[in-house]
Amino acid sequence: MGDFGDSAAVLEVASLAKSYGDVHALVDVDLVVERGEVVGLLGPNGAGKTTLVSIVAGLRSPDSGTVLVDGIDVVRDPDGVHSRIALAPQELGIYPTISARENLLFFAELAGFRGKTARQRVEQVAKSLNLTDKLDARAESLSGGQKRRLHAGMALIGTGELLLLDEPTAGADVETRAQLLEVVRERAAAGAAVVYSTHYLHEIEQLAANVAILDGGRIVVRGPCQELIAARGTSIVELAFDGEPPHDGAAFANAEVHGDVARFATSTPDEVAAAAMRAAMADGLNVRRLEIIRPSLETVYLSVVGRRYEGAAAEAEL
């Protein structure tokens, strides 16, 4: 990774707005990402995450506001920032009928590598993503996890200052997720700024990333992951009922009720869970699920957005 200059900020987003008809996808968004920083971009579906990433990458135009990458305006000088940005969108973008090596080589050349240097760069990236023994296989013959690694490798093969990774581990196996996270750590340690959008909150904790939570097109929380957990990470007790939860009684006096779910924020989760179960059983109610969510990024998200993250249930099964 080359020298990125003296300024700490690689990405500077100021007062960014974007609407689609009556839908306000982004509203007055400000975001700064510095060299060596990983920012976990979180939020519910429709919060504006993909729109933000697409505007930063130059794929969409904002209605207002500015985006600077290494001091260069993305809208005014898209060619000037092209080599500074590496994007891995959520949708797989591999070429299925050519080999993994040819896929990587094509993107190495797009990133400015030539000849022997390009071939060496392909080998380096393939090794970091455990794809060396699959380089000569047709991309369509790879497993799902291998395709996901190849897709990420096509973005990571460049040396751009800013990495935009939109759901890079979506549908990936545990091994693939671990390898991609390690490569992200390495690139950040080498000085890259990383914007990492994911449905897997545990990945943000593993990366010890800073967090930006988008909701309704606005960034509602921004800060280091562990500091947010310490400040906002109260335990949550959640009970899902067959039918409507109770709305009264001492055991449910402090519950938030959402549909068939009663939720408690508490510093004594075991006691609250036991009391709620006793009350439910006494009323003849059937509790379909009881879960205690210990202080984590998920409880931070719950306290801020008021609902669980879309990927939380799937993540709990991994």
Side-chain angles (χ1 to χ4, degrees), residues 5 13 19 50 71 73 76 104 116 123 169 175 194 216 220 223 274 290:
V13 176
S19 296
T50 296
D73 192 301
R76 294 181 179 178
L104 290 172
K116 182 179 179 181
E123 294 288 345
T169 62
E175 179 187 10
V194 183
V220 293
L290 168 64

Side-chain angles (χ1 to χ4, degrees), residues 53-164:
V53 170
S54 297
I55 291 174
V56 171
L59 302 178
R60 301 181 190 179
S61 298
D63 295 335
S64 60
T66 58
V67 178
L68 303 181
V69 175
D70 210 18
I72 302 173
D73 192 301
V74 169
V75 174
R76 294 181 179 178
D77 188 6
D79 292 337
V81 300
H82 177 74
S83 64
R84 291 171 164 81
I85 296 175
L87 169 66
Q90 183 175 355
E91 297 79 13
L92 285 176
I94 64 176
Y95 295 96
T97 60
I98 62 176
S99 70
R101 185 189 304 276
E102 289 168 318
N103 270 277
L104 290 172
L105 188 59
F106 175 68
F107 280 85
E109 291 172 348
L110 285 180
F113 296 101
R114 295 290 182 269
K116 182 179 179 181
T117 304
R119 294 190 295 273
Q120 289 175 337
R121 184 64 184 157
V122 167
E123 294 288 345
Q124 290 169 356
V125 170
K127 182 178 180 181
S128 69
L129 294 172
N130 196 23
L131 286 172
T132 301
D133 62 344
K134 298 295 182 181
L135 277 174
D136 295 317
R138 283 165 65 104
E140 63 187 359
S141 71
L142 301 178
S143 69
Q146 291 162 349
K147 288 177 181 176
R148 180 58 62 178
R149 276 178 265 157
L150 175 60
H151 172 73
M154 288 153 60
L156 294 167
I157 202 161
T159 55
E161 293 94 323
L162 177 63
L163 301 184
L164 303 173

